[in-house]
Amino acid sequence: MKDKYIHASSTTSPTLPLPADGKQERRRRRGGLFSSLFNTLNPSKTEGNRNWLPTSLAVLLWAGLAYGGYAFAMHTLDKQQQAVDLRIAQVQKENEAQMQAMGEQITLVQDEMEKVASGLASIHEELQMTGETIGGTDKTKQALQERIDQLNKQLVELKTSLKKLEDAARAW
């Protein structure tokens, strides 16, 4: 009756262990990608002589991919360099056009400045002439004032003389 019952283990694992009948030990252990590549490149003596064709094809494929990546990168960089050179040339043309326009504007401003300078020079001359005229007028006014003063003195003298003559005429 004991054959009918299965002995349960007291583990908390939800899965039951599989019976080991030796199949697990007969399977070849598989390694990762790098260990497989290492074993491909360095076969052990126990594995025997391997064929050189897969190794050489892998190396050629790797070299082709590396060269293709390099060629693509160089092609892309050349295109970018051409685009940058083209943009630089465009900017230089724009700068030259702007420099010409600025040169023309500077020439116009210089012409206007020369006109303003000549106008200021003529105004300065006129102001000097006006100042001389005003100064001359002042001198003239002063001379006239002196003459008026002299005439006023003569008038006063004449009035006093006239008064004396009137007094003398009355006295007669």
Side-chain angles (χ1 to χ4, degrees), residues 1-7:
M1 180 134 176
K2 286 188 175 184
D3 290 340
K4 293 181 183 177
Y5 298 110
I6 298 176
H7 293 287

Side-chain angles (χ1 to χ4, degrees), residues 87-100:
R87 183 65 182 140
I88 288 173
Q90 289 174 348
V91 168
Q92 285 177 344
K93 286 180 183 178
E94 290 173 4
N95 285 346
E96 288 176 11
Q98 289 176 353
M99 290 298 289
Q100 286 179 347

Side-chain angles (χ1 to χ4, degrees), residues 15-89:
T15 60
L16 293 175
L18 293 175
D21 60 53
K23 289 183 183 177
Q24 190 73 10
E25 286 108 22
R26 282 186 278 153
R27 287 191 183 167
R28 191 173 88 191
R29 293 191 66 187
R30 295 183 186 191
L33 174 67
F34 293 111
S35 62
S36 297
L37 287 175
F38 181 74
N39 288 335
T40 303
L41 294 175
N42 294 324
S44 65
K45 292 181 182 178
T46 59
E47 292 181 7
N49 286 337
R50 289 205 170 199
N51 193 357
W52 59 271
L53 184 62
T55 303
S56 60
L57 286 177
V59 168
L60 284 175
L61 178 65
W62 181 85
L65 288 174
Y67 178 74
Y70 173 77
F72 178 73
M74 291 306 292
H75 177 70
T76 304
L77 288 175
D78 285 342
K79 277 187 173 180
Q80 288 177 352
Q81 185 65 36
Q82 288 173 356
V84 167
D85 290 342
L86 181 64
R87 183 65 182 140
I88 288 173

Side-chain angles (χ1 to χ4, degrees), residues 92-162:
Q92 285 177 344
K93 286 180 183 178
E94 290 173 4
N95 285 346
E96 288 176 11
Q98 289 176 353
M99 290 298 289
Q100 286 179 347
M102 289 179 79
E104 292 171 2
Q105 288 177 351
I106 288 173
T107 304
L108 291 175
V109 169
Q110 286 176 343
D111 291 342
E112 289 179 18
M113 292 296 288
E114 289 174 5
K115 289 178 184 176
V116 168
S118 66
L120 285 175
S122 66
I123 289 172
H124 187 15
E125 285 179 21
E126 289 176 8
L127 283 176
Q128 283 181 344
M129 289 172 44
T130 305
E132 289 174 3
T133 306
I134 290 172
T137 305
D138 286 342
K139 290 178 185 176
T140 306
K141 283 183 181 179
Q142 189 176 8
L144 286 173
Q145 188 65 37
E146 288 174 5
R147 182 70 179 145
I148 290 172
D149 289 341
Q150 286 175 356
L151 289 175
N152 281 338
K153 286 180 186 177
Q154 283 179 356
L155 181 63
V156 170
E157 288 175 9
L158 284 174
K159 280 185 184 180
T160 54
S161 297
L162 183 61

